[in-house]
Amino acid sequence: MMTKPAPKYRAPALDKGLDILELLASAHKPLSIVEISEGVGRSRGEIFRMLQVLEERDYLARTEGDGGYSITPRLFLLAMEQPPVKSAIEAALPVMHRLAETTEQACHLVVPSRDQIVVIARADPPGEIALVVRIGHRRPMSQSTSGHVLLAFQDEQLREHWLDIIAGQEADLDRKKLVRQLAQVRNQGYACARSHVVDAVTDLSAPVLQHGRAVCALTVPFIAQRASAQTQQRTIAALCKATAEISDILHYGTATQKR
């Protein structure tokens, strides 16, 4: 097994802070000082001051009662201000609102984050029935329709790199099966699969492309409604039209007129 090369430079205090943030970002509940200490492999004395500083800078918050620590949305909000992400949201939101109104379905925009996907924007339909996914929601890339789209529409080298990261997190990953699924998604231009989370929901997802690569995925959690004339196939067509429009805006600065 290849050993990981030693870092060229060390910044111990920064290492401690990043270790804490990464641990809490992956935690499903607030963690005590003891749990954080064990999780990052450092003594309570080593991390106490770091926790105080991160809390003062609003990267961490303590729950009432047991005083467990959890990560705040501050890092997420900082990431949302990055030009590529901000540009994608600004380009997508008007199109997403039109899509939600046309299809009578909710939709959300997703970007990759290591081996996961994260929702960065959403649009709700005018009706009362829809599956709405909150902004900031995360899910393993291999276990989401949006993630399959992001993986499918990458160059081979980057896709293999992401698959290596995913395989490192998921010991039971069937990589060959996943690669076959990705090829099918790429061939048809979109993904359509039963929701991994909610019964009676079909996830429809298509890529927003820049230079042939998916920078994000637009997803509709489709719910069939008896009172609606919108079918799954009509929704797929509207979704693909929407992602093509967003891709054009990102590439040209404005939507091109389709002939």
Side-chain angles (χ1 to χ4, degrees):
M1 185 174 69
M2 294 180 62
T3 58
K4 189 175 180 180
K8 189 174 181 180
Y9 302 106
R10 298 309 300 261
L14 180 58
D15 278 342
K16 278 189 281 189
L18 292 175
D19 285 345
I20 292 169
L21 289 173
E22 289 177 357
L23 174 69
L24 289 173
S26 62
H28 300 292
K29 63 179 182 66
L31 301 181
S32 67
I33 293 181
V34 173
E35 290 171 320
I36 295 171
S37 172
E38 293 174 350
V40 300
R42 297 177 185 272
S43 70
R44 293 172 62 180
E46 283 184 281
I47 65 170
F48 179 76
R49 287 186 180 180
M50 185 62 65
L51 289 170
Q52 296 298 308
V53 172
L54 289 171
E55 184 179 4
E56 288 172 3
R57 295 291 294 269
D58 195 33
Y59 288 98
L60 301 183
R62 269 188 290 183
T63 57
E64 295 182 5
D66 60 6
Y69 288 88
S70 59
I71 197 165
T72 71
R74 181 167 172 76
L75 279 174
F76 178 73
L77 295 174
L78 287 175
M80 295 275 278
E81 288 299 315
Q82 288 296 302
V85 175
K86 195 170 184 179
S87 296
I89 294 173
E90 290 173 348
L93 273 177
V95 182
M96 291 171 63
H97 284 296
R98 290 197 297 272
L99 176 65
E101 185 172 353
T102 299
T103 63
E104 303 172 13
Q105 304 281 338
C107 61
H108 54 268
L109 195 68
V110 165
V111 294
S113 176
R114 284 187 58 82
D115 62 318
Q116 297 185 326
I117 56 100
V118 58
V119 175
I120 61 170
R122 82 179 196 210
D124 301 343
E128 298 181 353
I129 300 174
L131 176 64
V132 176
V133 181
R134 66 175 176 82
I135 294 174
H137 170 74
R138 288 176 173 269
R139 186 157 181 82
M141 195 179 293
S142 65
Q143 300 172 27
S144 69
T145 309
S146 304
H148 287 189
V149 166
L150 291 170
L151 282 164
F153 292 89
Q154 303 296 335
D155 60 66
E156 185 176 356
Q157 184 176 0
L158 181 57
R159 180 166 53 252
E160 289 301 313
H161 173 65
W162 283 1
L163 288 172
D164 287 342
I165 294 174
I166 293 168
Q169 298 294 323
E170 301 179 31
D172 58 347
L173 177 71
D174 188 337
R175 186 162 177 162
K176 290 183 178 179
K177 179 181 178 181
L178 178 56
V179 169
R180 289 194 300 270
Q181 292 173 331
L182 299 180
Q184 181 180 357
V185 169
R186 190 175 183 94
N187 286 337
Q188 66 186 11
Y190 63 88
C192 173
R194 292 181 61 183
S195 170
H196 293 75
V197 180
V198 182
D199 292 337
V201 170
T202 302
D203 286 333
L204 312 174
S205 186
V208 173
L209 301 172
Q210 270 190 310
H211 310 296
R213 288 180 49 219
V215 291
C216 46
L218 181 56
T219 300
V220 174
F222 181 84
I223 302 175
Q225 301 179 42
R226 293 179 181 175
S228 174
Q230 286 298 321
T231 64
Q232 185 171 297
Q233 285 305 312
R234 286 182 180 177
T235 302
I236 290 171
L239 170 65
C240 291
K241 182 180 178 182
T243 52
E245 184 177 351
I246 299 168
S247 299
D248 279 349
I249 296 170
L250 289 177
H251 186 73
Y252 298 107
T254 184
T256 58
Q257 187 69 33
K258 302 295 184 185
R259 295 186 181 274

